[in-house]
Amino acid sequence: MMKEINQELPLITVICPVHNEENCIPLFFDRIQKVIADLSERYRFELIFSNNVSTDKSLDRILEIREKEPWVQVLSMSRNFGYSLTEQTHQ
């Protein structure tokens, strides 16, 4: 989706905490890609999925996306710290 990125553009980081969301991840990613496509001339983007010890296939879905999209990152927590700590980890 993303073409060559101008490193001088401002960076927007989107953080998405995940806990057992395997069915929602592809839907979320499709929607955010559409928003990013509209703004990609003015901004660079990175998307960080924070996997809070999902027991379903959430991590697999994230890794499938990451394989194709270098601007997508994943952080896997050792236990479910909840949204608040996820937010603090990325500051």
Side-chain angles (χ1 to χ4, degrees), residues 9-49:
L9 294 174
L11 176 64
I12 294 177
T13 301
V14 178
I15 301 170
C16 180
V18 173
H19 180 72
N20 293 338
E21 299 290 347
E22 71 177 290
N23 294 325
C24 296
I25 291 168
L27 298 170
F28 169 77
F29 186 70
D30 286 344
R31 289 180 182 172
I32 201 159
Q33 270 189 307
K34 291 174 185 169
V35 172
I36 287 172
D38 291 341
L39 299 172
S40 65
E41 297 293 321
R42 293 181 292 173
Y43 302 97
R44 294 180 292 137
F45 289 88
E46 69 177 342
L47 171 60
I48 302 173
F49 285 101

